[in-house]
Amino acid sequence: MIMAIRQHVFKPFRAIGRNIAGIAAVEFALSLPVLVGLTMYGAEAANMAYTSQKLGDIATLTADSVSRIRLSISNGDVTDAFGGIKILGDSIRLRDNGRIIVSSITPVLDASNNVSNQKLRWQRCSGALVKSSAFATTENTNIGAAGMGPTGRQIAATKDSELIFVEVYYTYRPLISSSFFGTPQMSAYAAMAVRERTANDLLSNGTN
């Protein structure tokens, strides 16, 4: 009698225990928030990596474009170079969220005609972001024999040469949400030696 009662009472519970219908749906529902979160995090990380690569390309192309201007250089020439580079940066809205700074660095020679220092000959910039050069801002002043760039990675112009140094600064625009990485200011640097230009003072024609 007691066994019969137990079987009658616990039979529904045993049936429930053997019923696995809907488990997959429940597991999917529980894992979905984690899956969506990881997907969004991965997309944001990929976008940040893409943006970093884009800034590096822009810095390199700017330095190359300005260093290739032949014979002499003017404000108009630099403006034209900026115009082309801005188009390249439109995919990340560089015009509104970034700043490109171009500096011309020349060697300073001592009485023995050896390079003893480096001088910022001129500097021009473009972009809506309010940002000054992190390394030199006053034209026609010496910046040190090590040259220009982050500490330990400076680059200097050699004797009888001129160096174009480019800084690109950009306030990161999140693809999905700023809760993943925030909106950090990103940067990229590049430098190129001037080729086939004998007059490196910036002529006044054109605008910056």
Side-chain angles (χ1 to χ4, degrees):
M1 181 66 179
I2 295 175
M3 291 295 295
I5 294 174
R6 286 180 177 176
Q7 290 178 355
H8 179 74
V9 171
F10 292 108
K11 184 177 180 180
F13 294 100
R14 287 196 296 268
I16 292 174
R18 291 193 299 269
N19 189 353
I20 61 173
I23 287 180
V26 173
E27 290 177 343
F28 178 75
L30 292 174
S31 63
L32 184 60
V34 176
L35 179 63
V36 171
L38 290 175
T39 301
M40 291 192 298
Y41 182 89
E44 196 67 69
N47 185 63
M48 179 170 275
Y50 165 79
T51 302
S52 179
Q53 179 64 50
K54 192 79 169 180
L55 295 178
D57 292 343
I58 289 170
T60 300
L61 288 173
T62 303
D64 186 56
S65 296
V66 177
S67 66
R68 284 180 180 273
I69 297 171
R70 301 176 61 186
L71 304 179
S72 63
I73 186 169
S74 68
N75 277 323
D77 293 326
V78 178
T79 299
D80 289 342
F82 278 144
I85 296 301
K86 286 176 181 177
I87 295 174
L88 181 64
D90 279 347
S91 61
I92 58 173
R93 294 183 61 184
L94 182 67
R95 301 171 192 253
D96 302 323
N97 300 280
R99 188 95 164 156
I100 305 175
I101 303 173
V102 177
S103 303
S104 187
I105 309 299
T106 188
V108 177
L109 306 181
D110 59 19
S112 300
N113 207 34
N114 296 317
V115 177
S116 60
N117 212 322
Q118 301 284 309
K119 181 175 72 173
L120 174 61
R121 186 190 293 271
W122 53 260
Q123 190 171 83
R124 292 294 182 269
C125 55
S126 181
L129 179 67
V130 178
K131 177 71 177 178
S132 299
S133 170
F135 313 112
T137 57
T138 306
E139 296 181 348
N140 293 311
T141 58
N142 292 345
I143 61 174
M148 197 163 182
T151 302
R153 295 190 292 135
Q154 295 100 323
I155 187 168
T158 58
K159 184 179 178 180
D160 299 324
S161 72
E162 189 89 2
L163 184 72
I164 296 299
F165 188 89
V166 174
E167 304 162 66
V168 179
Y169 299 100
Y170 175 78
T171 300
Y172 179 68
R173 296 177 62 251
L175 177 67
I176 299 172
S177 171
S178 61
S179 60
F180 292 109
F181 301 109
T183 55
Q185 186 173 94
M186 307 175 73
S187 60
Y189 312 114
M192 293 280 182
V194 169
R195 286 94 85 186
E196 299 183 49
R197 188 160 72 230
T198 55
N200 289 298
D201 285 327
L202 198 64
L203 302 177
S204 60
N205 61 302
T207 60
N208 61 349

